[in-house]
Each structure stands twice: as C-alpha cells, then as structure tokens.
Amino acid sequence: MAYQLNVNGKAMTADVDPDTPLLWVLRDTLGLVGTKFGCGIAQCGACTVHADGAPIRACMTPIEAIGDAKITTIEGASALEVGARVQKAWSELDVAQCGYCQPGQIMSATALLTQNPSPTDDDIDAAMAGNICRCATYVRIRAAIKRAAGQEA
Amino acid sequence: MGIVQNITEGFSPSRRAVLAGGGAGGLILAFSFAGKGAAADGLAKLNAYVQIAPDGIVTIVSKNPEIGQGIKTSLPMLIAEELDVDWANVRTVQAGNDPVAYGRQFAGGSMATPLHWDQLRQVGAAGRAMLISAAAADWGVEVASLTTEPGVVVHAASRRRATYGALTAKAAAQTAPELSSLKLKDASAYRIIGQPIPQVDTAAIVTGQPLFGIDMRLPGMLYAAYAKAPVFAAKVASVDLSAAQGVKGVRKAFVVEGGTELDGLLPGVAVVADSWWAANKGRQALNIQWTDHPTSSQSTEGYAGQARSLKAAKGGKTLRSDGDVEAALAASAKTVEADYFYPFLSHATLEPQNCTAHFHDGKMEIWAPTQLPEPGRQLVAKTLGLAPENVIVHMTRCGGGFGRRLMNDYMVEAAWIAREAGAPVKLVWTREDDMRHDFYRPAGFHHFRGGVDASGNITAWADHFVTFGEGEATARSAGMAPTEFPAQFLDNYKLDVSMMPLGVPTGPLRAPGSNAIAFVVQSFIDELAHAGGVDPVEMRLRLLSKTAAAGGQGGLNAERMAGVVRLAAEKAGWGKTTLGPRQGQGIAFHYSHLGYFAEVAQVAVTEDGTVKVEKVWIAADVGRQIINPLGALNQIEGSVIDGISEMYGQITIKDGQVEQANFDTFPLLRIPDAPVIETHFIKSDNPPTGLGEPALPPVVPAVTNAIFAATGKRVRSLPLNASELAAG
Ligand code: FES
Ligand code: FES
C-alpha cells in the first residue's frame, strides 16, 4: 500500500505493507540509512527519529501509525536550530567512537533541548537513558548536551 | 532503485596507478620494507600511503579497519607529522583489503600503535625527503641546505620557497630513500602528534551519512535474513520454504547445507527478498525443525557441576610450579581459600553483524564490517571453492568491534547467499541472531588458596583454573598464561588447569583473558591483604617491589606498574577520603597490551544491594607520547565503562542454547549509571602503545574491591547480585 510521508520537509511515497516499521521504510525504501537498527524492540534508541518533534523509536513504529506526522531523521537534523547546535557540540567534543549510536543520541538530545533548553543532570539521564552507546561515550554525551545548552562544564 | 551507496573509498593500488599514469601529477609514495608485522606472513611488501595533489591536498591511506578506536585518524597523523603538512590539508581514505600493499591489516590486540609508530612516521619522512630532493635538484642547491614548513620546502639562504603541490610531480620521480637513513623529528617539534584531533569521519557521523557496513546499497540489491539453529551447528531437519516464499516481497528461500566448524558457514535457511523486513518476515514463517545435536545437553548449570567435580578431583595439568606451595601454606600465619567465577559474555556490537556480497564475472566482491579482512577472504574462497584472487574484500567502518568482527562467519554467509541468489545481497542479522550466535567471552572458574605470614606478606599462591577445552586444546580465548601476574613475583606459586568440553563458540572480547583474569587475581590479592591486615595499596606495592625477571605479554615492568599504582591512589585520595556508610574505594592494576593501568573505583551500595560506581580514577603509563589525546581519553573512558557494564550481564546456556537474545535480557550500562572518570598519564620514556583495551581489566576488580570496602561482602562471582549485597 502506498503511504504519503513527510520526511525532513519533503513529500515522499513508500509502497510497503502496513506493518512495516518506519525504520525499514526509511532505510530500505527511502534510502535514508542514517537512522540505525540496533535491537528492533525499543531497547537501544539507535533508531530514534522525531514525529512532530517528539522522539520515537522507528523500529517499533509501523508505517500505518505515522499518519500525517512530520518525520525528522538525522539527515534532517541540521535544518533544526537545536539540531544543528547539538551536531556542532558533538563534533567539537568528538563524542563518537564507532559512531553507530550517535544519530539516535543526537535525535534524543535534540528533542530534549528543544523541550528543555537548560536540562539538569537528572533531566539528561531521564531523556537519554533509552539510548545505549556500546562504546560507552556517555561522559562526552553529557558534556556535549551541556555545551549545546550553553552550560559549559 | 538506482541509488548507490558505496561507502568504501576504494583507494586501491591499481586506482592509484591510473591516477599517477593519467597525468594527475601526484606524488605517490610507494616503499618496500618489511615491517615487523609484515614479515610474519612472508609476503613481499610494496606499501603505498600518500598522494599529494598539485593544489597541496594530501591524501593519506589508513590501512587498518576502523571500529571506533580512531585508527583512521591516528595512523594518518603519524604520516602527516613527518611529511610536514597541515592537518587541515589532509584527507584520509580507508584502504581496501590488500595484504600485498599494506601487510597485515587488522584491528586487534591494541597493536596498531606499537606496530606503526616508527614505520608510518618513516613513511611520512620519506615523502618529505623526496620533496626536498626534488627542490634541491630544481634549485641546484644541497639537500642539507633545505628545510620544510608545513606544505612548503624552504631554502633559507636564498629565501626560495616551493609548495609541496608544485613539487609533487618531480618528487614522484625521486628515488625513495632508505627508511633507516631517515632522521625523524624530535617530539618537541611535533605539530600534529599530541594534538587533540577529532576523528576524520566525525562530520559524516553526526549528519548520518552512509558509513557502516549496514549502510551499503548496490543497484539491484536484495536483502537477506539467515536462520541458524539455536544449538550451535545443528542441521535443518525440515523446513516449510513455501511459507516463506508466500510472503510478499520474498524472492527466494533455500537451505544452506553448511558445515560443522563453528567459525565457518553453519547450516541454516536463507530468505532473500526485496526488503529486509520482508526477508525477516519470510524467515519467521519457515517453521524450521532442527536435528538433534550432541551438545544440546550442555548448560551453564552443567558446566558449574563439572567444574566442582574437577576442582574436587584436584587433578589438572600443572602449568607452573615455583617453590613449594603446600609447605608454604602450611607454614603461613593465615590462609585463605576462595572460589571465583565469571560468566560468558556477548560482544553485542551495536551494529549487528551484516555483510554485502555480489558475485559477478566469476569474482566475489564483498563489503564487510570486519576487523580481520584477509582471513575472511580466505574463508570465503575455501568455502565457496573460489581462488582467493577472485574474492575481493572492501572494509567498511564498523559499528563497534570489541573482537566480535575478528570472526568472519557473517562474511561467508553473505557470500554463499549472494551467489545462490544471483544478485547483490545485503545480509543483516537481527539482534537476536547476533546475541545467540556470538563467539562468547568464555566463562571460567578459579579455586584459589593463598597464605600470608605474620607481617602480612604473601607466602604462597595456588590457582586451580577450570576452563573449557578438550585434550590439549583450550577453547578459543579460554587459556591463561603461566606468566600471568603474580607469577614470578612470589617464591611459592602454582597454576593448575583442568578443562571440560564446550559446544559453544568462544572468542576474544576486548582485552581477552585479561578482562576476566584481572578480576580474579586482583580480588584475591585484596583478600590476602585484608587477611594479613595490610592496606590494599601497600600490599600491591610490596608485591611489585620484588623485581621479577619477566611477566606476561612481553614482560611486566614492576617499576612502571608501581608508578601508576601510587599515582592512582594519590589522585583518589586513598586512605584520606572520608567516605559515608556503604561507600568505599577499591584499587586494582593490570598489565595488558603493553599498557600499565591502575584504577581506583569509588562505589556506593544501597541498602537493597544496588551498586552505583560513583567515580573512577585512572593512572596510565602507555609510553612517552599520547598520539591523539582526544581519542585516547575517549578510549579509556569507554573501556572503563565497558568493564563496569560487563559486571551486570551474563550469557547463560540451557539445552545447548543461549538464553539471552536482546538488550532486555543482556543489559548494557546506560548514561545514568556512567561514573565520573578522571584520567592521569605518566609519560615514561618508552615507545607509545595502544589504548583500545588495557584500561578495561582493572576496573572490574577495582569495583569489587570497593564493594568489599563498602559492605564487607566479597564479590567472588559475576554478574553482581544485588540480593547478596543487600544490607543485613
Ligand atoms: S533499533 Fe529501535 S530502539 Fe533499538
Ligand atoms: S559510539 Fe559506538 S555505540 Fe556509541
């Protein structure tokens, strides 16, 4: 079935089964491979994208549930004022090791800072606990969020 | 379709030859030399790393796989430093698998820094020498009268200057100098080495550009899922292929006969489809029955029972016996006896195993996130009956390695399926596939007996190690060297080993061997310190004050280790910090991968037994030079948190199968539990060594020793068990 989608501000069409998770539509049908597959059961956050600005796990969100929500992926993050700021902080502190989790981390951090421009450590913990970094770059993730929030440590 | 995401950069020697011959005018450095690592496999080497374009842009090849250790940045830094160029003008590209051009290409053992420190600086220096020779010939002056500034050759006397870009074509015609004749820079002159330089792929990572194996796309590419037996190497007894073929989008479903080698192509059923989701749906419809397999009776409980019997039998092979342990124990003021256990662990790279393969024109072309491409190529050639020269492996960035991708099982699966499918195929494992078909960190059992004299000095140490293996052969990564500390630091030392058979594949996990042995050895030292009434730091310094001939892995230098022990204790305020109830500090050290690490952990244990690691102080001696401090700290912090993470999870076996399947049952540490980390380096006058692994092992016993300090409860078995650590 053909679904009309709005991804990163562009109209796109995906002809897929209704139960196909958004993750695989993005990656395989639309060729937007920045959103990552890590677990498939909403445990790791690698697949985090925004639906109308809210972070969702694309691996557990069937395409039929998207409706007319505006989807933003890591490929569209730079177009968001906060997203660009987060990416800049991530680059300056060189947060990544392997980098595989980082698109999901950046999308979660961007959603956090959009809602809460000055998060406390507890706010950061709460918003980022769903994103696993197997390389354990957590020290820098925290520092980068603070830098993006203008609260230099 | 039509979208091609070829994420490899294809800097192959043939392409370079075309560039050179095609009048691009670039300097291409090609050198013959037999490096240490290179000589081992007996191949003739012609290494090619550097190209300088007329506009001054320098392209440097990174020969090794990038798994998050930052090698694609740090190895080119070595070349760029001695070439004397601006880092801003450097572009790096990933080499393909090409052992003839680059020697051994691998990510493992934290070996890249020690193997390439001299070698790649010489490559850069050779390039600089050729540029200088070209300018000397041009200007008719002595080579000795010329110097360089970044990207420019300078003749001070006549104030003449020529950019590398302008000299590149002439330099390419110069004879490459003898590498041993080159004088390398003094460290005080470094402009690149020692600078905090972000990874070369950072911009692509933060914007979600295709980089990883799983991001590969080819025209006409199909997607595959592959079902293997939950009991390792069991065969397909029956399967409903038509059920899979009935799923929309599925092109083909077929049985793969496979073999019995656990690190080769195992039997299974492949489903190939237009999308991965369809392939995986088809796979779920297969209703596969597997044959019974001899290892289906194995279990974690069974291993523990056998280990108890083997321990009681007191047999085992003696790997080392110094002095007279029994007499020394009998004469000790106090003795301690303790059983330790650590479980199987999964690597759980965040990018699940995957590989893209395309069989065309009689050649198998592969794009693989692998830590060890050449053996993968050989495995594919052998399994598919192809000549090795007809198998081409491109290396992609890896979404984590940790040793998992030293195995190439997914590579041979993708190759087999792609040939059968008659189309380019990307095989992607589910997380469940990944966790249930890993090469696990082997579990292990240690029965310790030790003694102390009236002054608290260790008098005797006996370790009966019960591990896995059959006959003379230890299971992969399940051995222990007879040189492992504290061997050679005690007069009376004994190591016995017993083995039981294992049907579960094992393999190296980050800091293999060390990640488990540090836990048991450094914990038991702590037990003896407390038995002898000696402070744990003092006990370690006493042990290290015995000058020992040589320890494990090339020789533990006791002075270097004592140095980091003192520094870690000092920075942590050891013995001087006021700690609350159920709060404690623990110390441990371990030598591995040529690196000296001592770590102090501070923990707080709640009433219900939950352990929170609050802070870790690290003292490290990895030689005189940190190549890239930005990457170095990231590796250390990651290793330390990785080590703590490994204390909370385990892989268990039941009916020959792995019980855990995903992150809900095999937890990884998350951001709220990440401790504060403080790292200090001792810059000793030794060649620089690697940082991918050695920071990990000491943190585990540092934490368990801190738990003892906080609660009086000794953790002798992992994972941590909150109910055992609860108050009361
Ligand atoms: S892939 Fe979606 S949360 Fe892990
Ligand atoms: S950087 Fe590797 S998983 Fe986060």
Side-chain angles (χ1 to χ4, degrees), chain B residues 583-608:
Chain B
Q583 196 181 26
Q585 288 190 340
I587 188 160
F589 68 78
H590 189 75
Y591 169 71
S592 70
H593 306 90
L594 308 171
Y596 293 78
F597 278 79
E599 301 176 11
V600 172
Q602 182 171 308
V603 307
V605 184
T606 62
E607 295 286 312
D608 68 0

Side-chain angles (χ1 to χ4, degrees), chain B residues 441-530:
Chain B
R441 191 283 296 273
F445 305 81
H446 294 256
H447 177 67
F448 284 110
R449 291 175 303 142
V452 288
D453 64 20
S455 349
N457 293 312
I458 300 178
T459 49
W461 177 290
D463 178 2
H464 183 183
F465 176 35
V466 180
T467 184
F468 299 96
E470 267 168 286
E472 288 294 298
T474 313
R476 189 187 277 121
S477 304
M480 179 171 169
T483 48
E484 198 65 62
F485 188 88
Q488 303 173 94
F489 286 79
L490 290 169
D491 297 332
N492 303 296
Y493 174 95
K494 193 157 183 270
L495 175 62
D496 297 313
V497 62
S498 301
M499 299 198 289
M500 57 186 136
L502 181 66
V504 173
T506 56
L509 171 69
R510 192 181 208 173
S514 297
N515 60 37
I517 289 162
F519 159 56
V520 297
V521 166
Q522 292 286 320
S523 296
F524 195 59
I525 290 176
D526 232 56
E527 294 210 42
L528 292 173
H530 288 284

Side-chain angles (χ1 to χ4, degrees), chain B residues 29-83:
Chain B
L29 295 174
F31 304 107
S32 278
F33 60 86
K36 240 190 179 170
D41 51 19
L43 291 162
K45 297 300 183 297
L46 183 70
N47 287 295
Y49 291 96
V50 177
Q51 180 183 321
I52 301 174
D55 64 358
I57 294 296
V58 183
T59 303
I60 301 183
V61 175
S62 177
K63 58 171 281 202
N64 278 358
E66 173 63 64
I67 61 174
Q69 82 283 43
I71 212 69
K72 194 176 170 188
T73 307
S74 64
L75 291 186
M77 283 171 70
L78 301 180
I79 297 175
E81 179 69 64
E82 293 291 344
L83 188 60

Side-chain angles (χ1 to χ4, degrees), chain A residues 95-102 105 132-137, chain B residues 350 399-400:
Chain A
V95 170
Q97 287 186 31
C98 81
Y100 193 77
C101 72
Q102 303 298 347
Q105 306 280 3
I132 289 175
C133 177
R134 172 65 181 89
C135 302
T137 59
Chain B
L350 200 59

